[in-house]
Amino acid sequence: MPTERLVAHVIDAKYHWHLPLYRQAQMLATHGIAIDRSTLAFWVGYTSQELISYNSNRSLVQFGADSIIFCASHRMTTLDMMEVQRVALG
């Protein structure tokens, strides 16, 4: 079972330092840690799915909390959901 620190290290090396998983597996093997590249890939994929679900839930909460959304350099006002329901019900 990997620790959060090891998984974070693998993801950081992959995306921040552009170090492929096969090379990370080779580097870990030189330190006596035999982890297959497919295992590292599973960790990266699993973590990305967890982060996507975390960020989407968080975005929904934040989206509903603000009345203005900033997109690039343009301001967009959001719809008041109570007003939308009132108009829809007529």
Side-chain angles (χ1 to χ4, degrees), residues 50-69:
E50 290 294 315
L51 290 174
I52 287 170
S53 65
Y54 171 75
N55 284 333
S56 65
N57 291 338
R58 188 170 176 229
S59 296
L60 289 175
V61 171
Q62 289 179 348
F63 180 75
D66 297 331
S67 60
I68 295 176
I69 302 172

Side-chain angles (χ1 to χ4, degrees), residues 71-85:
C71 298
S73 60
H74 307 298
R75 288 174 54 147
M76 298 171 42
T77 57
T78 59
L79 297 174
D80 180 14
M81 291 311 290
M82 295 302 287
E83 181 67 21
V84 170
Q85 289 174 354

Side-chain angles (χ1 to χ4, degrees), residues 4-23:
E4 291 88 0
R5 186 174 177 176
L6 178 59
V7 174
H9 174 76
V10 169
I11 292 171
D12 180 60
K14 178 173 174 48
Y15 293 109
H16 185 242
W17 298 107
H18 309 288
L19 195 62
L21 295 177
Y22 79 90
R23 201 168 298 154

Side-chain angles (χ1 to χ4, degrees), residues 18-58:
H18 309 288
L19 195 62
L21 295 177
Y22 79 90
R23 201 168 298 154
Q24 290 187 51
Q26 290 172 350
M27 293 169 67
L28 290 169
T30 62
H31 294 286
I33 304 169
I35 299 176
D36 194 40
R37 178 176 55 176
S38 63
T39 303
L40 298 176
F42 175 77
W43 293 350
V44 170
Y46 185 84
T47 304
S48 66
Q49 288 301 313
E50 290 294 315
L51 290 174
I52 287 170
S53 65
Y54 171 75
N55 284 333
S56 65
N57 291 338
R58 188 170 176 229

